Amino acid sequence: MSISGYTFLCRFDVLEEDVPRRFEVEGTPVSVVLTGDEVFAIHDVCSHSAVSLSEGEVEGCTVECWLHGSRFDLRTGKPLDPPASRPVPVYPVRIEDGGVYVDVVSRSDG
Ligand code: FES
């Protein structure tokens, strides 16, 4: 199944709670996170320095950058702690027929 504007990433049931998974969608690195009963997609590059957020810890609706500890809100991409001061783009996610889809064109920059 395809959804207009959205790219299939994986089956929903392969996601583990609070364990980010990295995908590459049309050259865009995306970290997908299942937390609570929601799935979020955030650009997989910290805005402070070019490291992968999918290697960080998830707590609630945040992911913590492993290098210097800034936490980002998974809903908005906004940094909650220094040293990061700029948001990270987030992307719309849809769950359809057990599949996880992301739209990397309609990003939100916080
Ligand atoms: S590289 Fe992410 S907070 Fe510094």
Side-chain angles (χ1 to χ4, degrees), residues 40-110:
F40 299 97
I42 188 167
H43 195 67
D44 195 28
V45 181
C46 181
S47 63
H48 180 238
S49 190
V51 302
S52 173
L53 290 176
S54 61
E55 295 172 33
E57 296 279 317
V58 173
E59 187 177 336
C61 276
T62 69
V63 61
E64 181 178 319
C65 178
W66 61 270
L67 189 52
H68 302 118
S70 289
R71 289 174 306 137
F72 293 87
D73 190 315
L74 291 167
R75 295 164 294 200
T76 64
K78 289 183 177 162
L80 304 174
D81 314 286
S85 58
R86 289 175 292 119
V88 174
V90 293
Y91 306 102
V93 175
R94 287 179 65 171
I95 310 297
E96 294 275 346
D97 291 337
V100 179
Y101 298 79
V102 67
D103 177 358
V104 294
V105 175
S106 303
R107 71 185 214 181
S108 167
D109 292 320

